[in-house]
Amino acid sequence: MGTGTDKKELLNHFRLEGEVVDVKPHGSGHINHTFLVTTSGTKKYILQKINTDIFHDTDGLMENIVNVTSYLRERIVQAGGHPERETMTVIPTKEGDYYYTDTDGCDWRVYLLIEHTVSLDHAENAEEFYASGLAFGRFQAQLADYPAKTLHETIPDFHNTPKRYLAFEQAVEEDVCHRAEAVAQEIAFIRARKEDISVLTDLLQKGELPLRITHNDTKLNNILLDADTHEAVCIVDLDTIMPGLCAYDFGDAIRFGANTAAEDEPDSNKVSLSLELYQAYAKGFLEGCGEQLTPKEVETLPMGAKTITLEQGIRFLTDYLQGDTYYHTEREGQNLDRCRTQLALVADMERKWEQMQL
Ligand code: ADP
Ligand code: GN1
Ligand code: MG
């Protein structure tokens, strides 16, 4: 995997201030390998091994991130903010590149650590979740005029739910790990909702919903909060910034942050949608997005929550059926537990559907 690589030697290729003192694993992301780098200088850094099994074009990926953060930086400066705190800073290599390929062919990048922040795996209270909704809404509003054509599609069809469904059916059919029989209930649950899967993508195709520049991975741990006040400071994990549906960005935050249980909770009876957290996030997100949203977009936000939760259940189950090759896992059955929490959340959303309307 290349994560055992000599990190100090690796970091020597980047323009860091000070000598590297310590490198240790950091965060709870499912995709990249992330490390916190401490130096003898005043700055700390984030080192990441980019998951190139998933992101096939590191040049395009890093170009997106550098261009989007430069664009955001200008706006933050204009607004009198702190660009090194409110957006990510990519640290170049000594050759001036935005990533470094090691001798094993693995790609690594370095960001400035945004200090005195925390990222949470569950919302501690409604105010905090409101603040993250506001920040993700503002993020979308800030990028409203960003030139969409210049963005590389880092993962094709990332939130194309009908295609995710087809990939799932194929995984059931191939059943390479002989796991399908034991998850017949989950498969049936998903199949029973086949019609829901294309509701939003159909509206997009018919021109009833616009494409926006979206983050596409709006879970709570992809936002850094001030360590003392828990106010939103910076949105991170910009790997999947691409044109997408506003409702999906809304929904992805809900499926993770408004769930009363952890994403991988083994007891899915603990799963439910907290309406208090749901409403708080919706309030923040709508405020943050501002005037730009069309009435149809606002109307379809609850459907975004349901669709992306179902999509995520489908994605976790597909990975489980394929032998857990996509998401990082720490234990057997973790992707199946993750799938079950998503499906239980969909079921609870169906029960609370009337109350979810905005
Ligand atoms: P993954 O794609 O694996 O989720 P992320 O880019 O989200 O990787 O990084 C993992 C975690 O590392 C984030 O959830 C966040 O807590 C932390 N993190 C990432 N970038 C920074 C940064 N520049 N400063 C501080 N923390 C960061
Ligand atoms: C992954 O990278 P991370 O952990 O922030 C995934 C998201 C999923 C999420 C589920 C590139 O997000 O799409 O919603 O796990 N990212 C990618 O927790 O696939
Ligand atoms: Mg992440």
Side-chain angles (χ1 to χ4, degrees):
M1 290 286 287
T3 44
T5 321
D6 180 348
K7 308 285 185 319
K8 286 193 183 168
E9 196 284 320
L10 189 69
L11 285 158
N12 204 20
H13 295 276
F14 289 87
R15 286 186 202 157
L16 305 191
E17 289 176 24
E19 293 296 311
V20 174
V21 172
D22 187 39
V23 183
K24 57 174 190 249
H26 185 74
S28 54
H30 294 343
I31 302 297
N32 299 301
H33 287 280
T34 305
F35 302 87
L36 169 60
V37 179
T38 313
T39 69
S40 58
T42 51
K43 292 189 170 150
K44 291 181 184 162
Y45 301 92
I46 288 285
L47 167 70
Q48 267 183 341
K49 176 169 169 265
I50 299 170
N51 189 330
T52 49
D53 290 337
I54 291 176
F55 299 106
H56 297 150
D57 169 20
T58 310
D59 286 317
L61 175 77
M62 292 312 293
E63 198 178 299
N64 279 0
I65 294 175
V66 168
N67 289 346
V68 167
T69 52
S70 306
Y71 183 89
L72 292 174
R73 187 166 293 113
E74 275 180 32
R75 268 140 199 86
I76 294 164
V77 170
Q78 276 162 15
H82 299 96
E84 288 197 348
R85 195 158 169 75
E86 294 171 35
T87 190
M88 305 236 279
T89 304
V90 177
I91 304 295
T93 67
K94 288 180 179 161
E95 282 74 42
D97 299 320
Y98 293 123
Y99 67 95
Y100 174 75
T101 306
D102 70 15
T103 47
D104 294 332
C106 300
D107 292 343
W108 299 80
R109 66 185 166 201
V110 174
Y111 294 117
L112 199 62
L113 177 87
I114 301 175
E115 293 206 48
H116 202 71
T117 59
V118 289
S119 77
L120 304 176
D121 286 322
H122 68 273
E124 286 168 2
N125 58 58
E127 293 76 54
E128 196 173 275
F129 203 40
Y130 160 84
S132 75
L134 188 65
F136 272 119
R138 280 190 181 145
F139 184 80
Q140 206 173 97
Q142 274 179 319
L143 291 175
D145 295 325
Y146 188 84
K149 286 205 173 68
T150 64
L151 280 174
H152 300 271
E153 196 177 13
T154 54
I155 301 180
D157 293 312
F158 188 55
H159 285 317
N160 184 334
T161 316
K163 282 214 173 159
R164 295 286 186 186
Y165 182 83
L166 291 177
F168 149 76
E169 284 290 8
Q170 194 178 339
V172 175
E173 175 76 28
E174 290 170 359
D175 195 17
V176 288
C177 299
H178 309 289
R179 289 174 167 179
E181 202 184 324
V183 295
Q185 237 183 311
E186 286 73 17
I187 294 172
F189 182 99
I190 293 167
R191 285 182 176 156
R193 283 152 187 81
K194 199 175 167 199
E195 280 181 9
D196 290 337
I197 275 162
S198 52
V199 170
L200 295 180
T201 45
D202 285 352
L203 288 173
L204 174 68
Q205 265 181 3
K206 284 191 267 174
E208 290 182 37
L209 284 174
L211 264 187
R212 301 208 176 267
I213 310 278
T214 47
H215 181 280
N216 292 306
D217 191 0
T218 53
K219 64 180 179 178
L220 190 59
N221 64 24
N222 285 330
I223 183 165
L224 303 177
L225 309 176
D226 183 274
D228 293 328
T229 64
H230 278 200
E231 273 164 30
V233 173
C234 179
I235 284 166
V236 299
D237 203 343
L238 305 181
D239 292 336
T240 49
I241 290 196
M242 285 178 281
L245 289 172
C246 172
Y248 277 25
D249 262 10
F250 171 76
D252 200 29
I254 295 298
R255 72 144 198 100
F256 188 82
N259 186 350
T260 53
E263 191 183 58
D264 63 349
E265 167 60 51
D267 178 2
S268 54
N269 290 320
K270 293 187 180 161
V271 170
S272 69
L273 176 77
S274 159
L275 282 169
E276 188 199 3
L277 292 175
Y278 175 83
Q279 303 292 359
Y281 191 89
K283 185 169 182 288
F285 188 73
L286 286 170
E287 270 174 43
C289 286
E291 297 299 304
Q292 58 158 350
L293 298 192
T294 66
K296 193 76 181 166
E297 279 181 298
V298 177
E299 184 194 315
T300 51
L301 293 182
M303 193 58 191
K306 186 176 166 188
T307 313
I308 201 92
T309 309
L310 188 57
E311 179 189 289
Q312 193 62 61
I314 289 172
R315 292 176 64 195
F316 283 141
L317 190 57
T318 305
D319 197 30
Y320 179 71
L321 290 168
Q322 290 177 333
D324 308 307
T325 57
Y326 187 93
Y327 299 101
H328 295 327
T329 50
E330 288 138 19
R331 57 179 169 82
E332 266 231 305
Q334 193 172 9
N335 272 322
L336 179 57
D337 287 340
R338 288 170 175 159
C339 159
R340 288 179 170 149
T341 63
Q342 302 309 290
L343 303 188
L345 191 59
V346 169
D348 199 44
M349 286 178 181
E350 288 171 353
R351 284 189 286 273
K352 294 175 176 159
W353 192 240
E354 292 307 317
Q355 292 137 285
M356 282 174 71
Q357 302 312 303
L358 298 167

